[in-house]
Amino acid sequence: MTGLFAGLLIALPIGLAAQQVGNLDAPVVKPKSYVVYGADQQNVVAGKRSVVELHFRVLDGYHVNSHTPKSELLIPTRIELQPATGVKAEAVEYPTGTSYSFSFDPTEKLDVYTGTFTVRLPVVAEAGTHSVDGTLRYQACDHAACYPPKSLPVQVIFTAK
Amino acid sequence: MKRSGLVFGVMVVGIALLLWAGWHNLRERRLAMQQAQENHVVLVPEKAGPAAQTDSQSPEAEAMQMRGKVAPGFTLVTLDGKKVSLSDYKGRPVLVNFWATWCGPCKVEMPWFEEFRKQYAAQGLEILGLADDVDAGKDAIAKVAQKTGVTYPILLTDGKIQKAYGGPDGMDYLPMSFYVDKNGVIVEETAGLGSKDEIEAHIKKIVASGATTAAGGQ
């Protein structure tokens, strides 16, 4: 009887460890999104024109077209925002991109965002906390392949005081 | 009595420790998996070799692994409005290439395909270019086809064909190419831009496969 329990005491941890190793070795899932939105609480002056910033990060190894790519065939990065009560939003201001060429085609110059980029949203807001919903549309590539256009939901939360 | 009580007590403590260890491991495992999923990015490898471009360990690759399978059939429409079916080319080697107007790497290899199509015409090779481009109009697709100098059939996709070849979510990246032999079996599948030599090596595989059928395909 004692031997049985002793066996159990030895076998169980081994089984648990084996299960753990097996799961940690399981393949990771490729991201379905290549751009991350960094939502952060911001404060603006109520009733005055202020700028709210939207911070994005393109995952390492990827790039997305800027808002003004150098070809009509390329899909620009753009934000579509929903109207929000108490907030008058002006046209979104996009950052300038950086020049990029694929190594296999150095003659074609692209205009892209890599790393972090910030989109500015000028607003005039009533006092209080506001939430503006929207979507970032972008199309990403890496050095050898391109990925279908994606939509990233964004929620801009800020307080006007 | 005392001894059995002591043994029982040790067992209870042991089982309690095991339960705690199990819970702790589970928590750690979940945290590790969560962190891995957040941080890990599977890129097309630096060396754009087609064999290296699909991570055979990834679930995506498993879901999309078409090598060795019969190529899913399709009937699609060309830019000229003609219907083209994969079965039209039964007995011939066919390269099925998914591309898009916004895909730079795709446009690099298209002229190579055209060149190989001519080079291996006597062996019956056909290239089918499937435009995986829902938003682009026919004009944009035709413009790119013209600019890249391709004369092989460019087919407009229907959404279903992307799923048949790429999995439930369609194509995860472009270009994607499927090398179909004369028996209708996919002998090679590549993702991303490979080298011209690699593409030709795959074409040679499908050209050499099975019994030769006279070109014409219809």
Side-chain angles (χ1 to χ4, degrees), chain B:
Chain B
M1 186 65 184
K2 262 187 178 180
R3 189 167 173 273
S4 61
L6 183 67
V7 170
F8 182 76
V10 167
M11 284 191 301
V12 169
V13 170
I15 289 169
L17 278 171
L18 282 173
L19 288 173
W20 176 84
W23 173 82
H24 181 73
N25 282 345
L26 183 66
R27 187 170 164 271
E28 289 293 314
R29 194 170 69 225
R30 280 181 180 161
L31 281 171
M33 289 299 288
Q34 192 181 351
Q35 198 172 19
Q37 288 196 7
E38 281 171 1
N39 297 333
H40 192 95
V41 175
V42 179
L43 292 174
V44 176
E46 281 297 321
K47 287 185 181 176
Q53 285 171 350
T54 47
D55 178 0
S56 61
Q57 296 304 309
S58 76
E60 179 184 56
E62 280 176 25
M64 289 179 53
Q65 189 59 262
M66 300 291 286
R67 201 175 298 150
K69 293 181 180 170
V70 173
F74 54 80
T75 299
L76 299 169
V77 179
T78 66
L79 291 167
D80 302 331
K82 291 176 190 166
K83 280 188 178 178
V84 169
S85 299
L86 182 61
S87 58
D88 295 342
Y89 302 94
K90 194 176 178 184
R92 293 175 57 184
V94 182
L95 197 172
V96 178
N97 169 245
F98 287 83
W99 67 282
T101 56
W102 40 260
C103 169
C106 301
K107 288 177 250 183
V108 171
E109 62 183 12
M110 287 167 74
W112 300 344
F113 291 154
E114 181 66 21
E115 197 180 316
F116 289 134
R117 186 198 190 206
K118 287 172 185 162
Q119 193 177 331
Y120 292 93
Q123 287 96 328
L125 177 69
E126 184 54 286
I127 317 274
L128 298 177
L130 277 60
D132 186 6
D133 223 337
V134 286
D135 296 326
K138 267 189 194 177
D139 290 348
I141 293 169
K143 189 178 171 182
V144 173
Q146 192 178 13
K147 198 176 172 184
T148 52
V150 301
T151 59
Y152 54 77
I154 297 295
L155 310 180
L156 305 172
T157 50
D158 57 4
K160 293 175 189 169
I161 191 63
Q162 288 96 322
K163 290 178 182 174
Y165 279 83
D169 297 328
M171 294 289 156
D172 270 341
Y173 31 64
L174 295 174
M176 282 286 291
S177 292
F178 300 86
Y179 296 79
V180 183
D181 72 6
K182 293 167 189 171
N183 300 314
V185 174
I186 296 170
V187 297
E188 199 60 67
E189 172 186 354
T190 63
L193 179 67
S195 73
K196 198 174 174 183
D197 288 345
E198 286 162 347
I199 291 170
E200 185 170 19
H202 297 324
I203 287 173
K204 281 180 177 173
K205 270 190 200 174
I206 54 173
V207 160
S209 68
T212 306
T213 303
Q218 301 301 317

Side-chain angles (χ1 to χ4, degrees), chain A residues 2 5 8-9 12-13 16-17 19-20 23-24 26-32 34 59-62 72-75 102 104-105 137 139 141-150, chain B residues 11 14-15 18 22 25 28-29 32-33 36-37 40-46 48 57-60 101-105 107-108 135 140 143-144 169 171-175 192-193:
Chain A
T2 310
F5 279 110
L8 276 174
L9 284 172
L12 273 172
L16 285 170
Q19 188 192 12
Q20 182 177 16
N23 280 324
L24 282 175
V28 291
V29 178
K30 185 177 166 183
K32 291 290 180 187
Y34 306 96
L59 298 190
D60 291 344
Y62 298 95
E72 64 195 40
L73 293 170
L74 298 178
I75 296 169
F102 284 108
F104 50 77
D105 189 9
R137 288 279 295 164
Q139 188 267 309
C141 296
D142 61 30
H143 68 282
C146 288
Y147 303 80
K150 299 274 183 188
Chain B
M11 284 191 301
I15 289 169
L18 282 173
N25 282 345
E28 289 293 314
R29 194 170 69 225
M33 289 299 288
Q37 288 196 7
H40 192 95
V41 175
V42 179
L43 292 174
V44 176
E46 281 297 321
Q57 296 304 309
S58 76
E60 179 184 56
T101 56
W102 40 260
C103 169
K107 288 177 250 183
V108 171
D135 296 326
K143 189 178 171 182
V144 173
D169 297 328
M171 294 289 156
D172 270 341
Y173 31 64
L174 295 174
L193 179 67

Side-chain angles (χ1 to χ4, degrees), chain A residues 57-137:
Chain A
R57 182 171 65 84
V58 183
L59 298 190
D60 291 344
Y62 298 95
H63 63 263
V64 300
N65 297 316
S66 74
H67 182 62
T68 51
K70 293 187 175 177
S71 166
E72 64 195 40
L73 293 170
L74 298 178
I75 296 169
T77 293
R78 68 176 195 278
I79 286 183
E80 292 161 5
L81 294 170
Q82 306 294 325
T85 309
V87 179
K88 283 182 186 173
E90 294 180 13
V92 171
E93 298 168 1
Y94 296 91
T96 53
T98 54
S99 185
Y100 176 89
S101 291
F102 284 108
S103 60
F104 50 77
D105 189 9
T107 56
E108 188 177 2
K109 300 289 181 193
L110 308 174
D111 196 61
V112 304
Y113 297 143
T114 55
T116 58
F117 68 94
T118 300
V119 174
R120 290 160 55 88
L121 174 66
V123 294
V124 178
E126 294 172 2
T129 299
H130 302 281
S131 174
V132 180
D133 293 331
T135 306
L136 180 82
R137 288 279 295 164

Side-chain angles (χ1 to χ4, degrees), chain A residues 17-68:
Chain A
Q19 188 192 12
Q20 182 177 16
V21 169
N23 280 324
L24 282 175
D25 282 347
V28 291
V29 178
K30 185 177 166 183
K32 291 290 180 187
S33 180
Y34 306 96
V35 179
V36 176
Y37 171 59
D40 51 347
Q41 173 70 40
Q42 296 175 66
N43 296 316
V44 300
V45 179
K48 286 193 174 179
R49 187 182 186 276
S50 310
V51 172
V52 177
E53 293 186 338
L54 287 71
H55 302 285
F56 296 96
R57 182 171 65 84
V58 183
L59 298 190
D60 291 344
Y62 298 95
H63 63 263
V64 300
N65 297 316
S66 74
H67 182 62
T68 51

